Amino acid sequence: MQTSFSNFDQQRIVWVDLLRFIAIIMVIAIHSSDPFNVSPEARSNPDFNYWGAIYGSLLRACVPIFVMITGLLLLPVKMNIGEFYRKRLLRIAVPFLLWSVLYNLFPWITGVLGLPSTIISEVFAYAPKDAAQTFKSALVQISLIPIKFNVYTVPMWYIYMLIGLYLYMPFFSAWVEKSTPGQRKVFFVIWLCTLFLPYAYSFYSKELFGLSAWNSFGTFYYFAGFNGYLLLGYILTHRFKVWSFRKTLLVSIPLFGIGYGITFSGFKWMVANPNSSEEQIELFFLYCSPQVLMMTLAIFLFVRTFKVKSSKWREVFSNITKCGFGIYLIHYFVVGFGYWLANILAIPISLKIPVTAAIVFLISWGFVACFYKMIPRASKWIFG
């Protein structure tokens, strides 16, 4: 149902700040679950396998939520393309490059300090235990930053995707502004079909809808990807009324439950097979998949009903939003320490992932917030 939101500007920031906080916590928790899910040794441990699947499946909505927030805040684009690119791309490019360089220098720094190479894999879950600690190796990785991330900068994959969305948005926005409700429905129907394609490729054939060794652009290629989440965030916020809390619960709980059940059972099924490839293990964790869409919608609709009346909590969530990109950029440095501290505290395996995530969040938030307080101007370039 379409509506004009006369109070949208006043109400939006509060629930969006809360939604962004939830997404940040979820991202940190996902990376805190890496020691449970990354290595074959961890996956062969029944307890690690079980709790890694429990939490890993629970958190898949984090990235789609971020993309939906981007869509609801930035669509339609109201500035010219040059101004939009300068404002949005420059804001993320400088801190992205800075922290990517720092992540890639870390192995070399451990060598300079005389630390064993095994400490690198303790900090970065995807790094090999015999990772190189030479300056030459660091320079090679740094030179590749403009085109690819690596085992030291795993979370940065999102920034490459976000840059792509920013490049695309002024063109997508022109269509969003002029499209009719009927046209948007057709787009969504086709986009929904694309969410099932990874399963068709995996279980039936990779050569569907024109895909082949000489062509990667099939029938539905032009409707696929995160752009559907961009549009969904915009449409749900600007074109649909907020449901009552009761109605939202009646829809969100089964929606999330079904999505989570498929994600968890699918992931467990894949990791149970020792011959599963990395692509097969990630199949039910894909962000652009129907079950993750279900969980994302459930969280988005649920949080949207919240009204934060406390001025203190509004201020807290506002500050987290301000520090959010910085928290995202630096948290991967802290995950290894958080995991080590959780071990020192003898946290049970069942709680180790959320406790690690809480430790990492508080350290990262405190670090970024202190910088913003002490050197606010410089912090905008350091943390975005």
Side-chain angles (χ1 to χ4, degrees):
M1 184 181 296
Q2 293 193 18
T3 182
S4 59
F5 285 85
S6 59
N7 65 339
F8 176 74
D9 289 338
Q10 288 72 32
Q11 296 295 328
R12 176 182 66 185
I13 191 64
V14 181
W15 70 265
V16 172
D17 282 348
L18 175 59
L19 187 63
R20 187 182 280 107
F21 162 69
I22 292 170
I24 289 171
I25 289 291
M26 291 172 76
V27 165
I28 294 174
I30 275 186
H31 293 135
S32 298
S33 71
D34 282 348
F36 285 65
N37 292 326
V38 169
S39 69
E41 294 81 11
R43 291 198 300 271
S44 65
N45 181 316
D47 288 336
F48 273 48
N49 181 264
Y50 178 73
W51 290 107
I54 286 282
Y55 287 108
S57 303
L58 190 69
L59 304 164
R60 303 319 295 175
C62 58
V63 170
I65 288 173
F66 275 128
V67 178
M68 289 182 72
I69 290 173
T70 300
L72 74 90
L73 292 179
L74 298 185
L75 284 176
V77 175
K78 295 298 185 181
M79 57 188 77
N80 66 60
I81 189 169
E83 184 183 359
F84 180 78
Y85 283 167
R86 284 193 302 272
K87 183 175 180 180
R88 305 310 306 184
L89 293 177
L90 191 62
R91 177 180 175 269
I92 64 173
V94 174
F96 159 66
L97 291 172
L98 171 63
W99 286 97
S100 293
V101 169
L102 291 175
Y103 276 111
N104 282 299
L105 285 176
F106 179 79
W108 169 67
I109 293 171
T110 63
V112 171
L113 296 175
L115 300 173
S117 62
T118 52
I119 195 172
I120 301 171
S121 61
E122 292 174 4
V123 175
F124 305 127
Y126 288 88
K129 292 183 179 179
D130 58 346
Q133 294 174 290
T134 65
F135 187 60
K136 180 180 178 181
S137 176
L139 285 180
V140 170
Q141 297 298 336
I142 289 170
S143 69
L144 295 173
I145 289 172
I147 58 173
K148 70 189 294 287
F149 66 95
N150 56 49
V151 293
Y152 311 124
T153 58
V154 170
M156 297 301 183
W157 78 267
Y158 174 77
I159 310 302
Y160 293 90
M161 185 272 288
L162 183 62
I163 290 171
L165 288 179
Y166 282 166
L167 290 172
Y168 172 72
M169 283 184 71
F171 307 99
F172 192 48
S173 174
W175 176 80
V176 170
E177 283 192 282
K178 295 186 178 181
S179 63
T180 65
Q183 289 171 330
R184 292 192 288 268
K185 287 179 183 177
V186 171
F187 175 91
F188 275 126
V189 168
I190 301 175
W191 179 68
L192 286 171
C193 290
T194 72
L195 302 183
F196 291 89
L197 290 180
Y199 303 103
Y201 298 144
S202 181
F203 297 122
Y204 183 64
S205 172
K206 291 186 177 181
E207 296 186 341
L208 296 175
F209 306 111
L211 293 188
S212 62
W214 59 87
N215 176 47
S216 301
F217 309 101
T219 303
F220 300 103
Y221 173 86
Y222 310 96
F223 291 87
F226 287 95
N227 57 359
Y229 286 117
L230 272 182
L231 185 59
L232 197 58
Y234 167 76
I235 294 296
L236 288 179
T237 307
H238 295 269
R239 293 288 183 267
F240 282 79
K241 288 183 178 179
V242 180
W243 290 341
S244 67
F245 186 74
R246 182 174 179 275
K247 181 179 179 180
T248 302
L249 277 184
L250 289 174
V251 172
S252 297
I253 291 176
L255 199 63
F256 188 90
I258 294 170
Y260 177 73
I262 296 171
T263 306
F264 174 74
S265 58
F267 179 74
K268 284 285 289 178
W269 174 41
M270 284 299 180
V271 297
N273 181 1
N275 297 318
S276 290
S277 65
E278 184 178 357
E279 288 77 14
Q280 289 172 321
I281 290 173
E282 291 287 342
L283 182 63
F284 285 87
F285 271 10
L286 294 176
Y287 297 114
C288 293
S289 60
Q291 73 277 4
V292 172
L293 169 63
M294 294 170 74
M295 291 191 290
T296 303
L297 277 174
I299 295 172
F300 188 93
L301 293 172
F302 182 68
V303 174
R304 193 182 173 204
T305 64
F306 277 65
K307 289 181 172 61
V308 182
K309 296 181 179 180
S310 167
S311 59
K312 183 177 180 180
W313 280 110
R314 283 171 175 251
E315 189 176 339
V316 168
F317 291 131
S318 177
N319 186 261
I320 292 171
T321 289
K322 179 181 178 180
C323 300
F325 192 57
I327 294 170
Y328 183 86
L329 289 171
I330 74 166
H331 82 274
Y332 204 55
F333 261 132
V334 191
V335 168
F337 173 76
Y339 189 72
W340 172 81
L341 191 56
N343 283 333
I344 294 294
L345 297 173
I347 302 298
I349 288 180
S350 60
L351 298 175
K352 192 167 289 184
I353 291 173
V355 168
T356 299
I359 293 170
V360 173
F361 170 75
L362 290 173
I363 292 174
S364 302
W365 180 27
F367 183 83
V368 176
C370 284
F371 264 77
Y372 266 109
K373 191 171 184 178
M374 293 185 296
I375 47 171
R377 290 186 179 180
S379 293
K380 291 181 180 179
W381 295 100
I382 298 171
F383 301 114

